[in-house]
Amino acid sequence: MSNAKNAKCAYPMPPNEAERQRELCDLELLDAGRIEQIDRICELARSLFKTPIALVTLIDRDKQSILASSGVNLTETSRADAICNVTILGNAPLIVRDAASDPRFKTSVLVRGPPNIRFYAGAPLQVRAGINIGSLCIIDRAPRDFSAEEQGRLSALAALTVSEILGWRAVRKLDASQKRLAQTARMAKIGGFEFSRTSDKHTWDDMIYSLYGIPPGTPPANDLIVSRYDPEMRAKSRRRITALTRHGVPCDVELRGTRPNGETFWVRVLADAEVIDGKVSRVFGAAQDITRRKFNEVRIQELTSRDPLTGLPNRASFIDTLNSYIDAAQANGERVAVIKFNIDHFRDVNDAFGHQTGDALLQSVANGLWQDFSAVGTVTHLGGDEFGVIMHGPAVDNAERYAKAFVEQAKTLFRHDHSTLPLSVSGGIAVYPDHAEDAPGMMKSAKVALDRAKAQRRGSVVLFDPEIAKAAEERDALMRKIRHGIDNNEFIMFYQPIVGLRDGKVAGLEALMRWNDPERGILAPIHFAVGFEEPGLAIRLGDVALDMAIGQMRAWLDAGVGFGNVAVNLSTAQFRLTDLADIILGKLGRAGVPPPQLTLEVTENVYMGWGADVVVATVCKLHEAGVSIALDDFGTGYASLSHLRQFPIDKLKIDKSFVQAVESVAIVDAVINMGLSLGMQVIAEGVEKQDQVGLLRLKGCDFVQGYIFAKPMEPERVAPFIAGFNPTARKKAIANA
């Protein structure tokens, strides 16, 4: 079609439009109806890219016909409104991040109305060089990005679609002409054959010899053909030959074989009989090479049942396999074991080293599991950082031993930048029929055992038992109650004074969360500590603590209360928020609270974890803004002097377990000296006796916190406490201690 004619159209056309239309007409697709293989590709595209809609379209003269669809009931549209009409102009995928803001498409009725296209990605269906008959496209109702890797997958699926279209067309021609040997012989990779019962003569064309890898000129014989089929296919082939030649039963069968050179092939054999006077006199038919289609089916199956990152079967495949093993076990009385493995602190790996390293870690674990378990079980990537293994029969007796051996081996499994990084993997095991009676029950029981392993000691393996399930149910119930408590403002803050040992004054307060449970009254953190084990819940609790403490500081500032500063604890989960520093500084800014009046307490283990780089970046930004940083519970984790020098720490808090233990005097002395030598203020927690105060003062400790001065108190009691606190008397008492 000329450019002049294109200019008159309301939509663009390729320069070879007439040739393209002839190709489309020759394929006979416009009146084809549903094609199962194309439908499956369409559904696969929708699932693979997680979009609500996927289409296979054909661009006709003035309309867009929908050959296959998933997620929308659409048969055709105007060509002028079809984004796919632009897709066929090129050879690469067309990506439209937001059609509503794209001047080419924003006025299309398909964008302004149903199906309300916002995101579009389409790959042209190129049946031969320069001839694009339509597209395979995915659609979302919200804008989104589409990576180069995803574009490659979409193009691969489009090529697969073209292959299936051409294969469908070839089979359609074969079906239409199976009784005419001369016509079938002219079709690509289709060989014709004939057998006369009257003369007992076989006739093959050249394609039959090529298809089966038989040297040309070899005398034709049924046994020669049958010998090329794989052993399990031979009996099937002989039954069909007997039914055809003796009784005239038409044959339509797909068979797999191996040529002498080792190549695997698939053929579809279509045959019929000529019957005279009730007897078969002649048999004729054709064999088509369908190897490519069969391999494509395998590829589709792999895409839907395998994880592309690790190459292992995915969750859906895992469930299917587990169901089949349980069905077999019910029949023969065997047992089935499910082992769930989880990479501990996997999210921290991604945060610290990036997703590329996280993917490499998943692949390392997958390879390790495959090496250890493939001979005795089915290994699966269940998704994220979770893997599964199914064992059945006698192997079940050794499931726990295998699991523990893998967990131990995993410690040295992962290398990054030529160094082996410490890796911890936890496992949970459930056994059928001891622990559950079906696949969902087995999955749940294994997950309960895995959760117990992670809770009691990371890097361990736990076998399910009913007591674990009971504890898990109680834990889940408590989690729900904590969430309900957050939603209903049941969590409150108490404040414990921090007293200076040099001047006897209240230097600040530590904000300590309490749960005002309507049924049980005021509860200490031990009653809701489980909430901090779940990252999402820990972040919500931490957010409540920050909001309440900052709001209370604003109220004290307005009332003229000299509270010094307030310390708030931060959890590990909160540091997974990459914008945590901005969140905290934003809260301070909106409340009008100067940053130096806030102290954030961070434990050693937060600094030492996988995400240490993220933690350091966050606390550095806060420290530069004026917020004080305190290292909490020092001595209970893994920090050392060299570690402390790397971080912006203003205050060092000695854990109460050392303060209250007589045998720990040397440790307390060493910690105080270390903190002071690094220019930090040292605070001792859990001080309850006068002799402890005296010892700490002599050792040079700056501040103390504990019941000897005050228990944690409600916010309204803080101002009167500070006002009534007698620094002179306290200083004298401290000096005499």
Side-chain angles (χ1 to χ4, degrees), residues 25 302 593 612 666 727 732:
C25 182
E302 288 181 347
V593 174
K732 185 176 181 181

Side-chain angles (χ1 to χ4, degrees), residues 381-589:
H381 184 202
L382 296 173
D385 58 353
E386 197 165 81
F387 294 82
V389 174
I390 306 173
M391 303 173 74
H392 65 104
V396 173
D397 296 334
N398 297 311
E400 189 171 5
R401 179 172 63 83
Y402 271 98
K404 288 181 176 178
F406 174 75
V407 164
E408 186 63 28
Q409 175 216 339
K411 294 177 181 178
T412 58
L413 193 63
F414 185 53
R415 294 184 62 81
H416 176 69
D417 288 343
H418 309 293
S419 299
T420 300
L421 294 181
L423 174 63
S424 173
V425 175
S426 300
I429 306 174
V431 177
Y432 169 89
D434 304 347
H435 304 145
E437 297 180 351
D438 54 22
M442 287 285 285
M443 295 288 281
K444 181 179 179 181
S445 295
K447 181 65 166 60
V448 167
L450 174 61
D451 289 343
R452 169 55 67 90
K454 295 176 77 70
Q456 70 178 23
R457 183 171 60 84
R458 303 262 178 175
S460 63
V461 175
V462 168
L463 180 67
F464 176 88
D465 70 52
E467 288 301 315
I468 294 178
K470 182 181 178 181
E473 290 174 1
E474 292 173 351
R475 181 179 183 275
D476 290 343
L478 180 55
M479 288 287 202
R480 289 192 295 272
K481 197 167 184 180
I482 293 172
R483 291 188 182 93
H484 178 80
I486 295 174
D487 293 338
N488 288 274
N489 301 315
E490 294 174 6
F491 287 90
I492 59 177
M493 301 302 287
F494 275 36
Y495 297 87
Q496 187 173 34
I498 299 172
V499 178
L501 289 181
R502 293 184 176 86
D503 58 12
K505 294 180 180 180
V506 174
L509 305 147
E510 181 176 2
L512 300 165
M513 182 171 278
R514 298 290 185 267
W515 184 4
N516 188 9
D517 188 327
E519 299 174 359
R520 296 175 290 173
I522 304 296
L523 301 177
I526 192 172
H527 294 282
F528 56 92
V530 66
F532 290 96
E533 296 174 8
E534 200 274 309
L537 197 52
I539 290 171
R540 290 190 66 191
L541 287 167
D543 204 46
V544 168
L546 283 167
D547 284 342
M548 296 183 72
I550 292 172
Q552 186 61 59
M553 282 192 282
R554 181 66 263 169
W556 285 330
L557 288 170
D558 292 340
V561 178
F563 60 87
N565 58 64
V566 173
V568 180
N569 291 275
L570 291 180
S571 67
T572 303
Q574 286 174 277
F575 281 99
R576 290 178 176 171
L577 301 171
T578 55
D579 57 347
L580 177 62
D582 292 331
I583 290 173
I584 294 173
L585 294 175
K587 291 179 184 292
L588 290 170

Side-chain angles (χ1 to χ4, degrees), residues 630-678:
L631 184 62
D632 195 18
D633 299 335
F634 182 73
T636 61
Y638 305 101
S640 65
L641 181 62
S642 60
H643 285 129
L644 294 180
R645 287 174 174 166
Q646 301 174 26
F647 310 128
I649 299 172
D650 303 291
K651 302 173 183 179
L652 195 63
K653 299 193 75 172
I654 307 173
D655 187 67
K656 65 180 181 181
S657 62
F658 298 116
V659 173
Q660 295 174 357
V662 176
E663 63 273 16
S664 300
V665 172
I667 296 176
V668 172
D669 189 24
V671 172
I672 293 173
N673 288 330
M674 181 171 59
L676 295 177
S677 68
L678 292 173

Side-chain angles (χ1 to χ4, degrees), residues 83 98-100 110-111 113-120 139-141:
I83 300 178
D98 187 356
L110 303 177
V111 176
N116 303 110
I117 301 172
R118 293 297 296 277
F119 166 79
Y120 169 97
I139 292 169
D140 206 336
R141 297 185 177 93

Side-chain angles (χ1 to χ4, degrees), residues 45 109 121 188 198 232 268 272 440 450 479 543 569 572 613 713:
V109 297
T198 305
E232 65 270 25
R268 181 186 181 189
D272 209 340
L450 174 61
M479 288 287 202
D543 204 46
N569 291 275
T572 303
D613 292 344
M713 63 186 72

